[in-house]
Amino acid sequence: MTHPRTDWTRAEIAALFDLPFTELLFQAASVHRKYHPATEVQLCTLLSIKTGGCPEDCGYCSQSVHADSGVEATKLMDVQAVLQRAAQAKDAGSQRFCMGAAWRNPKDRDMPAIVEIVKGVRAMGLETCMTLGMLEPHQAEMLAEAGLDYYNHNIDSSPEYYERVISTRDFQCRLDTLVHVRKAGINVCSGGIVGMGETREDRVGFVHTLATLPQHPESVPVNALVPVKGTVLGNMLADTPLAKIDDIEFVRTVAVARITMPRSMVRLSAGRESMSEATQALCFLAGANSIFTGDKLLTAPNAGDDKDGALFAKLGLTALKGEEPARACKTAVPAE
């Protein structure tokens, strides 16, 4: 198979968004079936290993020190406590264990514990993913040596809309960390959030940024904003028509991500707990093939294992067991 396109134009992506809905879903489903098992969905678990106290001012985040959300800052979890939670996730059927720390960037003094966690989780046979904020090249190399499978660092939105959401770091900082991760040989997990008051043009810009990276992210999380009171966006959007992105527009975003990044895992992430079963089914039809399981995503609510099990049974879906196509067919592409 040829290497997926990385030369998409914004006009081409906008044209995909503008397709009649049924035609867009047909195209996305066709692409999905070419590269992925049609009825298998990857199960992932996300754990906050260090909550709250982040100095960034991300307008959506309840863990920012700038938010009045009631989230209390904690220290980094004990290594054994993290490994215990990982074992529970594996028992529940998860393939990938994702861990997040509310840092702007990890300090070098934090790295030995992080490395020990990565090694311990991998020893259980789970895929590992970390999201720790911005990374320096030597930190990415340490994580690679520990065997980290994925590093998550979302671009959040389009380059144009980004500055309306975050002011404590710029968009290029996000891209620089992705370069460090890629150069270290770690798989990239990068997506964003929709429903923050952005326009479709911004959603086009968001997908365009990821789809034109030298190598597509192996995982692309698509989050729907959960407006948390006490955060800038939560206070601004709560109880307004903008507080929830239109379901059809959300599915369109998933479908366009699938078409433009055909081998990537496209994950339904935050906001799924408020989606109807029908909306989730449309997302799976449009090419979403990864979800977070459990009752909580960092500090936000999640659908829960029982609901997910019932939905999977209703839709005839099963948990992914094999390797993701983007990893199995990986072609080395120099990072820029």
Side-chain angles (χ1 to χ4, degrees):
M1 286 184 278
T2 58
H3 187 74
R5 283 185 59 188
T6 57
D7 61 349
W8 291 92
T9 67
R10 285 202 179 200
E12 288 176 313
I13 294 173
L16 291 174
F17 267 99
D18 289 340
L19 285 172
F21 185 66
T22 53
E23 176 60 24
L24 175 60
L25 258 61
F26 176 78
Q27 290 193 24
S30 299
V31 170
H32 181 71
R33 280 155 177 74
K34 181 177 180 181
Y35 293 95
H36 303 267
T39 60
E40 293 185 11
V41 176
Q42 184 185 55
L43 303 183
C44 310
T45 298
L46 176 61
L47 174 68
S48 177
I49 60 174
K50 190 278 172 191
T51 304
C54 181
E56 303 277 23
D57 66 353
C58 306
Y60 52 79
C61 187
S62 62
Q63 301 195 66
S64 168
V65 295
H66 303 275
D68 185 21
S69 60
V71 173
E72 296 184 4
T74 67
K75 295 181 179 180
L76 182 65
M77 284 178 65
D78 177 74
V79 173
Q80 290 305 314
V82 176
L83 298 184
Q84 183 178 14
R85 295 291 292 274
Q88 293 169 352
K90 183 178 181 181
D91 289 342
S94 282
Q95 184 185 54
R96 187 184 303 178
F97 193 63
C98 308
M99 296 154 278
W103 287 323
R104 173 179 170 82
N105 53 278
K107 303 292 190 296
D108 283 345
R109 66 173 181 268
D110 301 312
M111 294 305 295
I114 295 295
V115 164
E116 189 175 350
I117 289 171
V118 171
K119 290 181 176 179
V121 175
R122 286 196 90 241
M124 296 179 188
L126 285 165
E127 289 184 357
T128 52
C129 182
M130 285 276 184
T131 178
L132 313 170
M134 295 182 290
L135 289 182
E136 295 296 329
H138 73 281
Q139 294 174 326
E141 290 167 5
M142 290 178 68
L143 292 173
E145 290 173 4
L148 184 68
D149 296 290
Y150 286 85
Y151 193 81
N152 167 260
H153 200 60
N154 291 336
I155 61 168
D156 288 343
S157 190
S158 69
E160 296 80 10
Y161 198 74
Y162 179 90
E163 62 186 19
R164 298 181 59 180
V165 179
I166 303 160
S167 68
T168 46
R169 64 174 124 161
D170 61 30
F171 195 77
Q172 187 59 47
C173 290
R174 301 272 180 176
L175 299 180
D176 289 346
T177 287
L178 296 184
V179 170
H180 300 331
V181 169
R182 186 64 82 191
K183 283 185 174 179
I186 302 171
N187 296 292
V188 170
C189 175
S190 187
I193 306 170
V194 295
M196 296 191 292
E198 79 284 349
T199 64
R200 177 179 284 185
E201 184 178 356
D202 289 309
R203 289 186 280 279
V204 169
F206 156 62
V207 174
H208 178 262
T209 300
L210 296 174
T212 56
L213 289 174
Q215 189 170 337
H216 294 161
E218 283 76 12
S219 285
V220 180
V222 182
N223 299 271
L225 178 71
V226 179
V228 178
K229 289 186 177 180
T231 63
V232 173
L233 289 177
N235 291 342
M236 183 185 306
L237 301 178
D239 304 320
T240 74
L242 292 175
K244 184 177 184 297
I245 187 171
D246 174 80
D247 287 344
I248 298 299
E249 185 69 12
F250 185 86
V251 177
R252 283 184 181 276
T253 306
V254 170
V256 174
R258 166 53 65 223
I259 292 170
T260 56
M261 293 172 280
R263 288 196 187 129
S264 302
M265 304 299 291
V266 177
R267 183 184 302 127
L268 294 186
S269 299
R272 191 169 64 86
E273 82 291 340
S274 63
M275 294 178 189
S276 68
E277 290 186 340
T279 297
Q280 293 183 66
L282 285 172
C283 287
F284 293 132
L285 178 62
N289 61 342
S290 179
I291 63 169
F292 280 124
T293 63
D295 299 318
K296 183 179 286 190
L297 300 182
L298 298 179
T299 61
N302 195 38
D305 294 337
D306 292 342
K307 284 187 177 180
D308 288 338
L311 178 62
F312 272 38
K314 187 178 292 188
L315 299 179
L317 300 175
T318 58
L320 176 69
K321 298 297 183 184
E323 190 172 27
E324 305 95 315
R327 295 182 65 185
C329 304
K330 202 167 183 181
T331 302
V333 175
E336 294 183 348

